[in-house]
Amino acid sequence: MRRALVFVDGAPADVVLGLAGEGQFAGCGTWPGAEAALALMKAGWERAQDRQSMERLHEVGRALVSEQNLDRLLDLILTKARELLKAEAGSIYLLSGEGERRELLFAHTQNARVKLPFHRIVMPVSDRTLAGFVALTRESLNIQDVYQIPETAPYRFNDSFDRQAGYRTSSVLVVPMLDTEGQVLGILQLLNRLDDDSGGAGTFSSGDQNLAQSLAGQAAVAVKNAQLRLEIEQLFEGFVAASVTAIEARDPVTSGHSGRVANLTVGLAEAVNATPNGIYGDLLFTDRQLREIRYASLLHDFGKVGVREQVLVKAKKLDPSQLEIILQRLRQRELEEALDLLSQAWRSGNPFEASRWEQAILDRQIETERLMHLIRQSNEPTVMAQEVATGLGLLETLTFTHWSGERREVVEPESMASLRIRRGSLSEAERLEIESHVTHTFRFLERIPWTKDLAGVPEIAYAHHERLSGRGYPRQLGATGIPVQSRAMAIADVFDALTARDRPYKGAVPLERSLAILDEEACEGALDRPLLDLFIQAKVFERTVPKG
């Protein structure tokens, strides 16, 4: 024993038992005697254990801070607690509600010996249970054998798990998880302390209890932070869902578009993660980045709330009310011409001939129907045929009598300009107004105080209409300025626009033709070729387009 000790004249010194160089005794110039040496060694051993426990507790604290997912955090807390306190099993309960409505959620459990299906259950807080008693009193319970609880104790051990699993619970340590304000957030329960030497059943010491209470305090802070983060995430989820509802209420024609684009874009990002080779082989999107992509995709069209409704929902070149007015004017013109013919015949003294009069009216009706058909053809958003474009010239000279008595144009210049649109339903000014929704989206999103891991949402959404060729909008960025997340969203956005089945102004483009159109855009340098190849090879499109 003496050979294992090294004596020094003064502090600092550790009082430990070991070989020379591993520890030192302070202030012992001579051999203190067997009993004193044993006392010193016991004190040194306890001090060394305390120091080791504190170091491990600090390691646990650092580990808990690094985990922000609540489910994984609960699993980590139990794992570290069982390691630190040599417990065979353990459970965590989370406290919720206020007053009489307080409840305990059986949130997580571990058992090194037996495994049974885990079901989260909610139970009322009652001092009849071990966890409920600790939650109500904030006092820890350290029970050597739960089957020997005194009759005078208000609580009882629930042995249903033991009976179901063929397990034997003996020692139990139950401590409250108190936050910095002294509020109980949950309960940490450890079962069956393993003996240090034999590995068999042991009991939890007072030192174990103190250590468990310290760990539970750290766990409570980590759980509260995780819960606050979860509440923020739920708040964002609610906000995004409400925003999508607002978008779709403003533009019912594209209802579901935002959700489908988000589904496709996230699917393409996951395909990138699953592909270890190619230009994006080294790229790996984390769970947080996938959520960032999903939010940006869901909100990519939010700026449509800043676009005039009559432009936003414009399915054809003319507003229905404008078309109705023009067609009515043509009918009025037909009647006016018929009356003019009748008036001229009377003034000329011509006798009334029913057949001639009926033929004249029929001629006017045929002419009117021809003009109406021409206008309806011109009003469609399809590519205009040359004969239709030529026929529009006939409409420019047509007039009718306004209620004021003035002769006015049947088709006003503004309506004529709309009818002359060669492709689609929008004029140049209206097209620019629609395109402005991207800028409106960015200005709206950049005002939101996003968390650090969602800070890229505004920029990702801002670039979803940019093209690698530099011919996109609104900034004509080109390849180097477009984030890869936005490139993926561009593919998803175009694909859904082509295949959507709910657009009243166009039919859904067949899948093969839609993929061919995407391929053409990639060949022209507009869309990202490697991402499009992944989109097709991984069949990401099946997320929104049914097989077959």
Side-chain angles (χ1 to χ4, degrees):
M1 186 180 295
R2 291 185 64 182
R3 287 195 299 270
L5 307 179
V6 177
F7 300 96
V8 296
D9 293 333
D14 298 320
V15 185
V16 295
L17 175 65
L19 300 175
E22 289 186 354
Q24 296 176 326
F25 283 116
C28 296
T30 58
W31 173 244
E35 292 183 2
L38 285 171
L40 287 171
M41 285 185 284
K42 182 179 179 182
W45 175 250
E46 290 175 352
R47 179 179 174 185
Q49 282 188 313
D50 289 343
R51 185 172 60 187
Q52 184 182 41
S53 295
M54 290 305 297
E55 290 174 353
R56 296 179 66 185
L57 197 59
H58 290 156
E59 291 176 3
V60 170
R62 287 190 292 270
L64 297 185
V65 169
S66 66
E67 182 55 69
Q68 296 176 331
N69 179 276
L70 184 57
D71 287 333
R72 291 197 296 265
L73 177 63
L74 296 178
D75 185 68
L76 181 62
I77 290 171
L78 268 186
T79 299
K80 294 300 183 182
R82 289 177 51 229
E83 289 177 359
L84 198 58
L85 294 158
K86 297 181 175 61
E88 186 175 63
S91 302
I92 291 181
Y93 299 84
L94 295 180
L95 191 65
S96 64
E98 296 290 338
E100 296 181 355
R101 296 185 177 181
R102 286 199 296 177
E103 296 176 325
L104 278 173
L105 169 65
F106 182 50
H108 208 76
T109 186
Q110 292 180 1
N111 194 308
R113 181 170 298 182
V114 297
K115 293 186 181 296
L116 285 177
F118 169 65
H119 301 287
R120 291 192 172 192
I121 59 173
V122 177
M123 62 191 76
V125 178
S126 168
D127 63 359
R128 298 287 296 168
T129 64
L130 302 183
F133 178 84
V134 172
L136 290 171
T137 63
R138 304 184 186 181
E139 298 177 4
S140 298
L141 289 178
N142 189 349
I143 303 172
Q144 294 185 0
D145 189 343
V146 291
Y147 288 93
Q148 301 295 325
I149 295 176
E151 292 294 330
T152 55
Y155 46 80
R156 288 291 176 268
F157 172 67
N158 185 347
D159 64 349
S160 59
F161 174 80
D162 281 13
R163 287 186 283 104
Q164 183 181 2
Y167 186 68
R168 176 58 165 90
T169 303
S170 53
S171 57
V172 172
L173 181 58
V174 191
V175 295
M177 294 166 56
L178 302 174
D179 64 12
T180 54
E181 298 175 354
Q183 298 296 315
V184 180
L185 294 185
I187 303 298
L188 174 62
Q189 180 173 277
L190 298 172
L191 283 66
N192 288 4
R193 171 62 151 92
L194 300 176
D195 185 80
D196 291 332
D197 296 325
S198 66
T203 58
F204 294 100
S205 67
S206 59
D208 291 334
Q209 181 173 327
N210 292 334
L211 189 58
Q213 289 170 341
S214 298
L215 174 60
Q218 288 185 333
V221 173
V223 167
K224 187 169 186 178
N225 289 338
Q227 288 176 332
L228 288 173
R229 183 179 183 85
L230 182 61
E231 289 175 3
I232 292 173
E233 291 175 356
Q234 290 173 340
L235 176 64
F236 272 130
E237 286 287 341
F239 161 76
V240 171
S243 299
V244 171
T245 301
I247 298 168
E248 295 184 347
R250 189 75 192 285
D251 188 7
V253 167
T254 60
S255 178
H257 170 71
S258 297
R260 293 192 298 269
V261 170
N263 193 358
L264 291 168
T265 308
V266 171
L268 183 50
E270 290 173 345
V272 170
N273 284 354
T275 306
N277 49 23
I279 188 173
Y280 293 120
D282 295 331
L283 180 60
L284 182 66
F285 294 108
T286 65
D287 289 344
R288 296 180 187 178
Q289 289 173 318
L290 290 175
R291 184 177 59 203
E292 181 181 61
I293 291 171
R294 187 170 70 86
Y295 282 172
S297 302
L298 286 170
L299 295 171
H300 75 282
D301 276 345
F302 186 81
K304 287 182 177 179
V305 299
V307 179
R308 288 180 300 150
E309 188 171 3
Q310 59 266 39
V311 174
L312 188 63
V313 299
K314 189 179 181 185
K316 298 188 178 183
K317 298 175 184 178
L318 295 177
D319 182 87
S321 61
Q322 289 178 297
L323 179 63
E324 179 71 17
I325 289 173
I326 292 173
L327 297 180
Q328 184 60 43
R329 288 172 179 175
L330 286 174
R331 284 297 183 195
Q332 181 175 335
R333 174 180 174 274
E334 172 192 323
L335 294 175
E336 288 176 357
E337 288 187 341
L339 288 173
D340 283 344
L341 287 174
L342 181 60
S343 176
Q344 290 174 14
W346 283 349
R347 284 196 298 269
S348 301
N350 295 328
F352 176 77
E353 296 179 13
S355 60
R356 181 181 177 186
W357 173 247
E358 290 172 356
Q359 184 61 48
I361 292 177
L362 181 60
D363 290 342
R364 301 283 77 73
Q365 289 176 342
I366 292 173
E367 174 66 9
T368 299
E369 291 294 340
R370 187 179 69 83
L371 294 173
M372 286 182 170
H373 179 68
L374 176 63
I375 289 174
R376 291 193 181 99
Q377 275 187 302
S378 305
N379 194 40
E380 293 300 319
T382 54
V383 177
M384 185 184 293
Q386 182 58 45
E387 59 270 19
V388 176
T390 303
L392 283 176
L394 301 173
L395 299 172
E396 293 180 323
T397 59
L398 302 183
T399 62
F400 75 105
T401 304
H402 188 255
W403 61 265
S404 64
E406 298 176 350
R407 295 296 295 179
R408 294 190 179 180
E409 297 163 314
V410 171
V411 184
E412 296 169 337
E414 182 180 352
S415 297
M416 182 60 72
S418 295
L419 290 173
R420 288 190 181 280
I421 296 171
R422 301 291 297 184
R423 182 177 182 177
S425 63
L426 300 175
S427 68
E428 181 64 16
E430 290 169 336
R431 184 184 63 79
L432 291 174
E433 185 174 352
I434 288 288
E435 290 181 358
S436 72
H437 83 275
V438 182
T439 302
H440 290 311
T441 294
F442 176 73
R443 289 175 179 170
F444 166 74
L445 294 179
E446 70 173 346
R447 296 179 65 86
I448 298 172
W450 298 97
T451 55
K452 184 177 180 181
D453 52 330
L454 296 174
V457 167
E459 187 60 38
I460 294 171
Y462 198 14
H464 79 275
H465 273 301
E466 300 290 350
R467 296 294 181 261
L468 277 64
S469 59
R471 296 181 180 178
Y473 64 87
R475 294 173 289 169
Q476 296 81 45
L477 290 179
T480 57
I482 305 175
V484 64
Q485 298 95 322
S486 303
R487 300 182 184 199
M489 196 194 305
I491 294 171
D493 191 43
V494 173
F495 178 79
D496 186 70
L498 291 169
T499 58
R501 302 171 183 270
D502 53 4
R503 308 292 171 90
Y505 51 85
K506 76 171 190 67
V509 179
L511 174 61
E512 292 301 324
R513 177 57 186 153
S514 297
L515 295 178
I517 292 173
L518 290 174
D519 183 73
E520 290 169 8
E521 294 214 20
C523 289
E524 293 172 0
L527 298 178
D528 189 301
R529 166 60 67 185
L531 284 178
L532 178 58
D533 289 343
L534 271 179
F535 184 84
I536 296 172
Q537 292 165 10
K539 296 185 178 180
V540 176
F541 51 81
E542 290 184 350
R543 285 175 168 242
T544 59
V545 175
K547 294 181 181 179

